[in-house]
Amino acid sequence: MSTDSQTERLLPQAPADLGRNLDGQVIIANRLSNSECEAVVSLDGQAGTVLQQGKAAHFHVTFDSHNISVRLEPACSLPPPPELTLTVKTGDATLLGIDEAGVHTLSFTEESFSDMGQHPQVE
């Protein structure tokens, strides 16, 4: 795992992924309206990343299908969203949002973040 001033890059840790090209990107933003709702995001069953409201995680991934699961912290009274399977092709960049409706794809536009008052801070 490497860290720079803006992003924490979470790389696949499974031995099968070592040495493979990382071909796509997945950015997941916590857009839940309740600031008590922290989302724990897991990619392909790897240890989860905790996202506070208005935060996002940036994953570099291989081209393939990836399972994304979200668990909400106990302080959040919402049911957890269902697991999502995302197929990534070389060069793909996918932006996902977690909100009261579940996990879904967002467009890369300024409007995607307008209800947060700012761009999500990528961890």
Side-chain angles (χ1 to χ4, degrees), residues 36-97:
E36 297 295 317
C37 287
E38 291 183 337
V40 180
V41 178
S42 297
L43 179 70
D44 296 331
Q46 296 296 315
T49 299
V50 178
L51 295 178
Q52 296 173 340
Q53 179 191 41
K55 303 282 184 164
H58 184 194
F59 297 88
H60 285 272
V61 295
T62 57
F63 69 92
D64 206 349
S65 290
H66 297 279
N67 294 317
I68 298 167
S69 61
V70 176
R71 177 176 52 84
L72 301 177
E73 288 296 320
C76 186
S77 61
L78 296 170
E83 187 170 283
L84 174 73
T85 299
L86 179 68
T87 301
V88 176
K89 297 181 197 121
T90 301
D92 279 358
T94 304
L95 177 62
L96 299 173

Side-chain angles (χ1 to χ4, degrees), residues 109-120:
T109 64
E110 191 72 28
E111 292 77 33
S112 297
F113 305 110
S114 62
D115 63 340
M116 285 191 232
Q118 62 182 13
H119 294 287

